[in-house]
Amino acid sequence: MSTAFLTILNMSIAAGWLVLAVVLMRFVLKKAPKTIACLLWALVAVRLCLPFTLESPVSLIPSAQTVPPSAVTNITPHLESGFESVDRFLESTIAADPLASATPLQIFTEIAGWVWLIGIIGMLGYAMISTLVLRRRIRESVPLRENIMQCDRIDTPFLLGLFAPRIYLPSSVTQEQMEHILAHEQAHIARKDHWWKPLGFLLLALHWFNPLIWLGYVLLCRDIEWACDERVIDRMDGSQRQAYSETLLSCSMPRRVISACPIAFGEVGVKDRIKSVLHYKKPTFWLILVGVIAVILMAVFFLTSPEAGEELPDIPVTEVTWSDIRASQSASSTPTKPDKVPIEFIEVDAALDAAISREFKSWGTREHVKGTIFEHHGVICVDKKGANTVVYAIGAVAEYSELANDLQLNNSSFRFMGMTLNSAYQVIDNWHPLEGAIEESIRDMLSDTPVAASAVNYKDHKEEYLGILQQQAQSYYGVTGVTANDLAKLDAEQLYRNAPVHVTDDIDDDGVIEEYTYFGLSLSQKYLVCIKQADGSYTLTLQNNRP
Amino acid sequence: MNEGRLGLVEARFADMIWDHEPLSTQELVKLCQEHLQWKRTTTYTVLKRLSERGLFCNEGGTVRALVSREEFYARQSEKFIEETFAGSLPAFLTAFASRKKLTQKEIEEIRKMIEAYKGE
C-alpha cells in the first residue's frame, strides 16, 4: 500500500508542475482553438499514469521522484524535490532515531497509503451513486429520435452513457434551442468526450490529495465545453451565434457541480462561454500551427524526466588494506584517497564483555558442533540509553577440532553487530548491516556517533581476529602441526568412515578413479587425504593443495 | 380534483392509456416498453402517480380512465384562464385576438359561445 502510494505521490508532484505549465500555456494561447488546450490536458493525463518516462536533459520537471523509495527506510532520508533548500528543510524534519524500529517517514507513508485508498473509494463511490440516482430519475423519458430522449424531470440537457451515449433534453426546450443543444452534444460524442471526462475523473480519484489536479480537472471540463462550442459555431454567422449564446444563457445551471458524468450543457463557465461565442473568430492556420508546436514542446519538456544525478562510485573497503594505502601513498606524492581512520577499540566491564561474547557466539555457531568454539571481539562504541546499553562491536567466531596434531576449521564467521542490552545485560535487540550495502548502513546507523568514520573499516581486522582464534585453538588443543609420525598414529579406516565428504574422482591424474576424502589442516596449511584403495585398504597422504 | 399539469412525458403516457383504455396492466406495460422503452417498474410508478392525481385507476389489473382526454384538457384551459386572466374571459379573448387575426367565422362562433355562457 505504501509503495503504491509513494509511486502515485511522486507522479502527482511531477504532474503538478506540468499542470502549472499548462495553465500558463492556456493563458498564452487564449486565441488558439480550444482543442489545443484539450491536448495539453492529455499530456497531464499521461504524466499522471506513467510512473517512469524517458529521461532527457531538457526536462523542465524538477524531479520525477521527489520521495525515493529508499528514503523511507533510511535513517537520514534523502529527498529529491529538485530544490536543495526544500530537500534540506524536509530532511531535517523527518530524520529518524537510529534505534526506533520504524522511521517517521515509514509510519507516515503507511498511514497515508490507507487514507489515500479510502479517498479513492469515496470519490468513486460518490460518482457511482450520483450516476445511479440520475439514471433512476431519467427512467421516465421518452425517445424523440435516434439516441435523443426527452424527460420532464431534468432541468438541463446532458449526455449520458459510455458505450451508447444518449442525449437527454428537458421537455421545456424550444425547437430552436433544441437545434443548438443537439449540435453541441453531438460534437461531444464526435470528440469522444463521454470517454475522456470519466477517464479524467478516474485520474482525479487517484490523485485526489493534489489540489493542482483538481484545478486541472475543472479547467479540462471548461475546455471540453469550449471546444464543442467552437465546433458548433464555426459554421454559424453572427446572428446564429447570438441565438446560440441565448440558448446557453437559458440553459445555464445555477449551481456549480463537479461530476464525472453526465456532461451537462450548462454546467461550467457559462458566462465565459457566451463571451467567447460572441467574440469567436475562425483561427488562422498560423495560430493552429503555433498551438501544435506548443503541444509538442510541452511534451518534450514536461513528459520527460530529469536525468539521475551522477553517483560517486563506492570505494570497496575490503579490497583495500593498510599496506595498499601505504604503498599508494609512497608511490604518489598526493594521496588520491583520503586517509582511513583506524578503529579505536574500547574496554568494557567483564560482565558486559561476557554478554557480548555470548551474543557473537550465538550468531556464529552452527547447530551441529563437532569441536570447540572460540570467540574474539572488539568493542567500537558503547552508549547508555536509559536503563539499556547499546553496543557496536566486531567479532569473530570459529569452531575448531583437533586432527593429526593439527587443527580442523569447521566453521568461522566475522561480523559487525549492534546490540541493545538491558540492565541485566541480556540482549533485547540486535542489528546487522544490510547485505550489499554494508558500508552505507553502518554509516547510517552510527551517523551521529564519533566513530562512524572508523567503523566502516572493520573488515581490516578480519585476518587479525581469525588469526587470534586459531592461536587460541592451538594452545587449547596443544597441537604443533602435522608430521609424518602423526599420520602413522591415525586409524585411516575410521577416519574415512566418519568423514562428512566422500569424493569419487581421479585424484592423481593416472586415469584411475579413486574414492577418497580429505580434511583441511589449518595450522600447517596442508590437506590430509585418505584414499580407499581397490583392495579395501586405506592410505593417508599429505597434500599442499586441495584435491 | 387537483390533477395538475401533464409534462411532455406524462402526456405521452396518458395518451397511451386514453387511446387504448380500458386495458390490462400487462398490455399497458407492453405498449410502454414498445413505444417509450420503459421498464415495468417505470410504467407502474407513473401509473400510480397519475392515479393518485385522479386521472386513472387500476382496478384489479385493469386500467381505466376516470377523466376523458377532452374533459381533462378542457379543465386545463379553464384553470389557465383562471390563473392568468383572473378568470376574465374577455381579457383572455383580447389577449388572444391581439396575437391572431380572427376570421369572420371565428368571430361568429365566439359570439355564440359567449351568448351560451351568459345564459348559464
Side-chain angles (χ1 to χ4, degrees):
Chain A
M1 192 48 56
S2 50
T3 34
F5 172 67
L6 260 187
T7 326
I8 296 278
L9 179 66
N10 284 323
M11 274 200 276
S12 213
I13 296 175
W17 297 111
L18 178 54
V19 167
L20 290 174
V22 168
V23 169
L24 187 65
M25 194 53 74
R26 253 173 105 257
F27 181 74
V28 166
L29 294 175
K30 263 195 300 209
K31 301 268 190 237
K34 283 291 173 253
T35 10
I36 301 288
C38 294
L39 284 177
L40 291 176
W41 293 121
L43 295 182
V44 176
V46 166
R47 189 89 230 193
L48 286 173
C49 305
L50 295 182
F52 294 108
T53 63
L54 293 172
E55 288 183 2
S56 101
V58 299
S59 173
L60 289 177
I61 302 273
S63 164
Q65 255 207 343
T66 305
V67 184
S70 59
V72 178
T73 48
N74 211 325
I75 294 184
T76 46
H78 184 54
L79 296 180
E80 287 158 36
S81 68
F83 301 100
E84 276 254 355
S85 45
V86 176
D87 287 345
R88 298 285 155 260
F89 173 69
L90 287 176
E91 281 169 17
S92 61
T93 51
I94 59 176
D97 176 2
L99 289 174
S101 56
T103 68
L105 200 54
Q106 241 175 339
I107 300 171
F108 169 74
T109 47
E110 269 301 314
I111 299 174
W114 287 107
V115 171
W116 170 67
L117 188 66
I118 291 171
I120 298 179
I121 294 174
M123 288 203 52
L124 294 179
Y126 164 76
M128 262 194 355
I129 291 174
S130 48
T131 309
L132 282 173
V133 164
L134 186 65
R135 277 198 189 269
R136 210 140 197 262
R137 252 201 303 166
I138 57 172
R139 273 199 276 178
E140 284 178 34
S141 51
V142 293
L144 182 63
R145 59 166 193 271
E146 294 162 353
N147 60 341
I148 304 164
M149 312 282 283
Q150 285 173 298
C151 185
D152 290 339
R153 318 188 100 201
I154 57 180
D155 10 67
T156 184
F158 55 78
L159 184 64
L160 186 61
L162 256 150
F163 298 103
R166 284 194 179 155
I167 301 172
Y168 287 88
L169 304 168
S171 329
S172 49
V173 299
T174 68
Q175 194 61 34
E176 192 190 22
Q177 286 172 343
M178 205 185 287
E179 266 177 48
H180 296 146
I181 294 168
L182 288 178
H184 177 99
E185 300 299 339
Q186 265 144 8
H188 274 311
I189 297 179
R191 285 168 37 93
K192 305 261 184 300
D193 288 335
H194 55 292
W195 277 91
W196 304 134
K197 209 164 143 184
L199 193 69
F201 188 80
L202 183 64
L203 287 174
L204 179 65
L206 285 178
H207 294 261
W208 60 266
F209 50 86
N210 188 342
L212 285 173
I213 310 296
W214 281 88
L215 175 66
Y217 183 74
V218 168
L219 292 179
L220 169 74
C221 294
R222 285 194 191 209
D223 289 341
I224 286 180
E225 296 301 320
W226 244 310
C228 286
D229 285 339
E230 283 181 1
R231 254 178 111 121
V232 168
I233 63 179
D234 198 55
R235 290 178 231 111
M236 288 185 177
D237 65 30
S239 61
Q240 284 172 318
R241 289 185 200 160
Q242 219 174 357
Y244 184 77
S245 49
E246 275 172 33
T247 306
L248 271 179
L249 187 61
S250 26
C251 291
S252 66
M253 269 165 71
R255 359 161 241 138
R256 256 242 173 107
V257 163
I258 293 187
S259 61
C261 57
I263 308 177
F265 186 70
E267 191 180 272
V268 275
V270 172
K271 207 172 74 171
D272 293 322
R273 283 167 70 191
I274 293 176
K275 237 173 37 176
S276 310
V277 164
L278 292 174
H279 293 115
Y280 181 73
K281 283 197 204 40
K282 265 184 156 43
T284 63
F285 168 74
W286 292 112
L287 201 51
I288 299 174
L289 188 64
V290 166
V292 169
I293 291 174
V295 172
I296 294 173
L297 286 179
M298 292 283 278
V300 167
F301 288 138
F302 287 95
L303 278 192
T304 54
S305 302
E307 284 166 345
E310 295 256 320
E311 287 188 35
L312 294 171
D314 262 330
I315 303 173
V317 177
T318 43
E319 260 105 82
V320 179
T321 63
W322 273 117
S323 46
D324 288 337
I325 290 183
R326 267 190 234 116
S328 69
Q329 274 182 337
S330 54
S332 57
S333 47
T334 47
T336 49
K337 295 178 191 145
D339 285 333
K340 271 208 264 173
V341 184
I343 301 179
E344 287 177 26
F345 293 105
I346 56 188
E347 297 273 312
V348 293
D349 67 70
L352 181 56
D353 216 38
I356 297 172
S357 289
R358 268 200 307 273
E359 189 64 8
F360 272 109
K361 279 190 202 171
S362 78
W363 281 93
T365 309
R366 284 203 298 234
E367 292 223 342
H368 186 66
V369 176
K370 255 188 349 180
T372 315
I373 307 285
F374 301 92
E375 182 268 341
H376 180 76
H377 63 260
V379 179
I380 298 178
C381 91
V382 174
D383 204 0
K384 289 286 287 173
K385 293 235 183 239
N388 295 336
T389 314
V390 177
V391 173
Y392 289 99
I394 54 175
V397 179
E399 184 204 317
Y400 280 102
S401 29
E402 198 225 328
L403 180 67
N405 191 24
D406 207 313
L407 293 169
Q408 256 197 295
L409 179 61
N410 300 316
N411 183 28
S412 75
S413 67
F414 174 75
R415 53 167 58 92
F416 183 106
M417 265 216 290
M419 55 189 92
T420 312
L421 305 102
N422 64 13
S423 44
Y425 284 152
Q426 290 165 321
V427 176
I428 54 175
D429 198 10
N430 185 288
W431 177 86
H432 294 79
L434 279 172
E435 259 339 279
I438 295 180
E439 206 187 298
E440 246 179 40
S441 47
I442 292 177
R443 225 195 288 274
D444 284 341
M445 202 66 200
L446 299 180
S447 56
D448 56 357
T449 62
V451 296
S454 58
V456 293
N457 306 323
Y458 77 98
K459 288 199 185 167
D460 292 347
H461 295 276
K462 181 174 178 177
E463 295 299 312
E464 179 197 334
Y465 275 37
L466 291 177
I468 291 173
L469 293 182
Q470 186 173 285
Q471 280 179 336
Q472 285 183 1
Q474 188 183 3
S475 11
Y476 175 81
Y477 284 113
V479 292
T480 51
V482 65
T483 59
N485 289 341
D486 300 309
L487 289 191
K489 294 182 199 150
L490 290 171
D491 180 347
E493 183 170 341
Q494 202 178 38
L495 211 59
Y496 185 86
R497 287 248 163 82
N498 295 332
V501 174
H502 292 105
V503 183
T504 308
D505 201 3
D506 183 6
I507 194 173
D508 47 11
D509 285 326
D510 61 353
V512 178
I513 308 283
E514 290 100 354
E515 286 176 52
Y516 63 91
T517 183
Y518 62 91
F519 308 88
L521 300 176
S522 305
L523 209 48
S524 41
Q525 297 280 294
K526 287 197 167 61
Y527 287 90
L528 171 64
V529 184
C530 177
I531 305 170
K532 179 177 179 180
Q533 304 292 1
D535 60 3
S537 66
Y538 298 85
T539 51
L540 293 170
T541 54
L542 279 177
Q543 274 181 223
N544 286 325
N545 302 313
R546 207 172 78 154
Chain B
M1 288 190 200
N2 182 25
E3 297 130 359
R5 297 248 156 73
L6 283 182
L8 188 128
V9 172
E10 286 171 335
R12 286 273 289 271
F13 178 74
D15 281 341
M16 201 87 67
I17 299 180
W18 277 320
D19 288 339
H20 298 94
E21 68 110 5
L23 75 165
S24 71
T25 47
Q26 284 100 303
E27 280 166 6
L28 179 61
V29 164
K30 218 165 72 167
L31 282 170
C32 291
Q33 165 65 37
E34 225 180 281
H35 294 110
L36 306 177
Q37 294 167 23
W38 280 11
K39 295 183 4 183
R40 240 171 119 255
T41 43
T42 315
T43 310
Y44 277 126
T45 310
V46 183
L47 177 62
K48 182 156 178 249
R49 194 165 66 235
L50 294 186
S51 306
E52 274 162 15
R53 299 234 294 255
L55 277 122
F56 308 111
C57 69
N58 180 6
E59 286 163 357
T62 310
V63 180
R64 278 193 317 110
L66 295 174
V67 181
S68 77
R69 198 189 339 234
E70 293 72 26
E71 227 183 296
F72 177 77
Y73 282 116
R75 282 202 209 156
Q76 292 288 307
S77 320
E78 272 174 20
K79 277 228 289 248
F80 172 69
I81 296 175
E82 255 175 56
E83 286 163 20
T84 322
F85 293 96
S88 162
L89 190 54
F92 167 71
L93 287 176
T94 314
F96 186 71
S98 66
R99 289 205 32 135
K100 284 176 122 172
K101 282 259 182 299
L102 293 173
T103 67
Q104 197 57 37
K105 186 158 169 271
E106 281 169 332
I107 293 173
E108 272 308 310
E109 274 187 41
I110 290 172
R111 198 171 285 154
K112 278 201 205 122
M113 233 169 50
I114 294 172
E115 290 301 323
Y117 181 63
K118 273 198 352 210
E120 279 180 25

